[in-house]
Amino acid sequence: MISCRDVVNILASDELAMTSRWKRTEVWLHLAMCKHCTRFAQQLASIRKIAQSFMVESGLWPVRADFEERVLGRLNGEG
Amino acid sequence: MGFSEDEAEDLVQDVFVTFLEKIDSFEGRSQLRTWLIGILHRKAMEQRRQQAADRRHDSLDNVLESRFDDRGNWIKPPADLARLFESQRAGEMIRGCMEKLPSNQRAVFILREIEGLETQEICKLLEVTVTNMGVLIHRARTRLRDCLESAGKG
């Protein structure tokens, strides 16, 4: 039986997609039964969503199309 | 050699990359097999040193580890952060926590979570192995989560 520690490590290190089908099933079954690991998984998803929203709202992402041009311009002392 | 399957694959890939880079310097004084084993040995030692350094420099692993008992069950489960995530300042708080991340962890987090790049693309861009990338994203996410948990208490 897979432990909470194993589930947390698999989820946090992005190993789920790379792991075997059996292991993935074990993780899903574990998540269906364990509220703490489910909370951990939901928090990782929330962090991703909030970080994305924040970057978009503050204009930091997506990177503007002329980004490369502007960096090169700065390096060449233009502007 | 005491490596996981993924680490062993990364190691073999590293050996072949080095082999292709250094093939011109192979003078044929030893068998090709011996030469490849020499490269493998050096790469394995490098990886071991890197893993030891990672363990020394990142106390976070111990912090996370202390949340579980010997059987791997939660002793200190994750706090409820729902209210914090719904608040207006959640974005600012995540930004503040992101700024505290070591640069390589921050880079992996942004490429993965914001840019949505695939593992292989990130590894290529940052010149890290799949195993290292896994360690970096794990630490970035765990640090951010812990940072938010601490901020939520304050």
Side-chain angles (χ1 to χ4, degrees), chain B residues 83-124:
Chain B
R83 195 181 292 175
L84 186 145
F85 287 148
E86 285 161 14
S87 76
Q88 294 293 317
R89 57 197 186 105
E92 281 292 349
M93 286 171 86
I94 286 186
R95 188 186 191 178
C97 290
M98 275 171 71
E99 280 170 4
K100 291 181 193 160
L101 291 177
S103 57
N104 53 357
Q105 292 175 22
R106 191 167 55 234
V108 169
F109 180 81
I110 290 173
L111 292 173
R112 181 57 158 191
E113 306 286 54
I114 313 288
E115 294 284 345
L117 295 191
E118 293 297 325
T119 302
Q120 295 298 339
E121 291 174 291
I122 298 171
C123 292
K124 203 173 163 188

Side-chain angles (χ1 to χ4, degrees), chain A residues 7 11 26-35 37-39 41:
Chain A
V7 170
L11 295 176
E26 273 194 304
V27 172
W28 294 129
L29 284 174
H30 183 101
L31 286 172
M33 293 184 292
C34 177
K35 64 176 181 180
C37 288
T38 301
R39 177 180 283 176

